[in-house]
Amino acid sequence: MGDVLFLAHRIPYPPDRGDKIRAYHLLRHLARNHRVHLVAFADDPEDLRHQDGLAAYTATRTIAWRGPPTIWTGARALLQRRPVSLVAFADPAVRRAVDALLAAEPIETIFLFSSQMAQYLPPDPQQRVIMDFVDMDSAKFAAYAKGARRPMAWVHKREASLLLAHERRVAGLADASLFVSDAEAALFRERTSAPCVHALENGIDTVFYDPATRFEPLGGEGPLLVFTGQMDYRPNIEAVTWFADRVFSRVRQAHPEARFAIVGRAPTPAVQALAERPGVLVTGTVPDVRDWLAAAALVVAPLQLARGIQNKVLEGMAMARAVVASPAAAEGIDHAGTLQVADSPDAFGDAVLRLLDDPDSATALGASARARVIERYSWDARLAPLDALLDAPARPRPRRGGARADRLVPHRHDADHERER
């Protein structure tokens, strides 16, 4: 079988956040039957130190450092009439690395993880192209626009419009466009009329997330409510703020010793400030998130804005914890009643209090949740449909030459690039 060129906006190792978890398991799956060449960005120095963790799955690895976007990123996007999301990932060195691999290796499939990486496609790809959008970024920014004031409402609306045009163009070029849930795939079809759109759901490693494993005991008294996630990500910030502002004080009235743990790296100042409130813990990076899930009386996922399947919900379910989730966080998960779904602050508080007041019901719900993910969400089962897409013949495309349809103006990248071959 021909080689696969795997392009990712973030190095998929270690698999310690949602996008990296999905990309890591995709990469492992592809490596079973193909030589895989990885080209990815790193935005965390720790990730650069761990890139050897992918050696078993990749024939070559090209990792480029990407610093955080600056005001100049936005200025370039305005001048170029491009989405900020694409300009932030435009890198001449990465483009040269992609072109060199396409020239030197027998690449049969180009696998794009996140739409930002589609800008590195050749102008007339003769390889099979699989585009994993994961979820619909344009819809996310459209939702941001609805809840924002000027000038940010205009900024988000502009980003949504430009990304939608980009997504439509890329989907028209791809042999298959992948999304993390049926709901997300249906939304994409509705807004783009794109062909060859498929749902490829996330899975969960139920051997790793096993409540029978021995975990480090955590100190503290009182029932522990746990939220996990990357804590510089806007939907997560809004979720924990919403819960702290509108639900947790009521929980504390009924259970004065209750604690709310916000577990995840890179908490923003706004998240850190929540730790000043009684009962709220902000951990930052932890050695093993499973220690906190194992200690939790409940897992809460009160996201008000969410796209696709939430790994944090699957992880809580796999650890046999009772999960209370918002409709947005539960969407796309075939939970069959094995988690509690609540929308308003009152409904969310009611669900939390019912489970805290009846620990036996919480335990039974958690056991049902684990059984459900074992039955429905193993990674092997979720990724099996990918094999048929890789076996299908690539769509014939006439060679047309010329400039890249979405080539960006090259810009200077201040950080050194690290390459491993």
Side-chain angles (χ1 to χ4, degrees), residues 48-120:
L48 290 175
R49 287 193 275 272
H50 289 102
Q51 59 182 291
D52 285 347
L54 296 171
Y57 312 115
T58 53
T60 66
R61 296 177 299 286
T62 302
I63 310 301
W65 174 256
R66 187 183 77 88
T70 68
I71 190 171
W72 300 114
T73 308
R76 283 195 301 272
L78 285 172
L79 289 172
Q80 298 166 10
R81 298 182 181 178
R82 306 291 295 163
V84 176
S85 305
L86 266 64
V87 176
F89 285 87
D91 189 305
V94 170
R95 190 180 299 282
R96 290 192 296 270
V98 169
D99 291 346
L101 283 166
L102 290 173
E105 304 290 350
I107 305 296
E108 183 178 87
T109 299
I110 302 175
F111 194 105
L112 305 163
F113 187 82
S114 86
S115 63
Q116 294 97 323
M117 302 307 291
Q119 62 189 293
Y120 295 108

Side-chain angles (χ1 to χ4, degrees), residues 267-291:
T268 64
V271 174
Q272 293 175 19
L274 295 176
E276 299 174 5
R277 304 186 188 188
V280 179
L281 312 173
V282 178
T283 69
T285 302
V286 297
D288 193 335
V289 71
R290 296 173 301 168
D291 295 336

Side-chain angles (χ1 to χ4, degrees), residues 338-413:
T338 59
L339 58 82
Q340 293 282 302
V341 181
D343 50 5
S344 67
D346 285 345
F348 211 98
D350 288 344
V352 169
L353 290 172
R354 278 196 305 270
L355 291 167
L356 289 181
D357 291 339
D358 188 354
D360 289 341
S361 291
T363 299
L365 185 65
S368 297
R370 176 165 173 81
R372 184 59 178 165
V373 296
I374 289 173
E375 172 194 7
R376 177 72 170 78
Y377 284 102
S378 73
W379 275 110
D380 284 346
R382 293 306 90 215
L383 298 184
L386 182 59
D387 296 331
L389 298 177
L390 290 165
D391 290 339
R395 190 171 65 190
R397 301 180 183 91
R399 292 189 178 275
R400 54 185 175 83
R404 265 179 237 266
D406 60 354
R407 182 181 288 276
L408 296 174
V409 176
H411 65 277
R412 184 186 177 108
H413 204 275

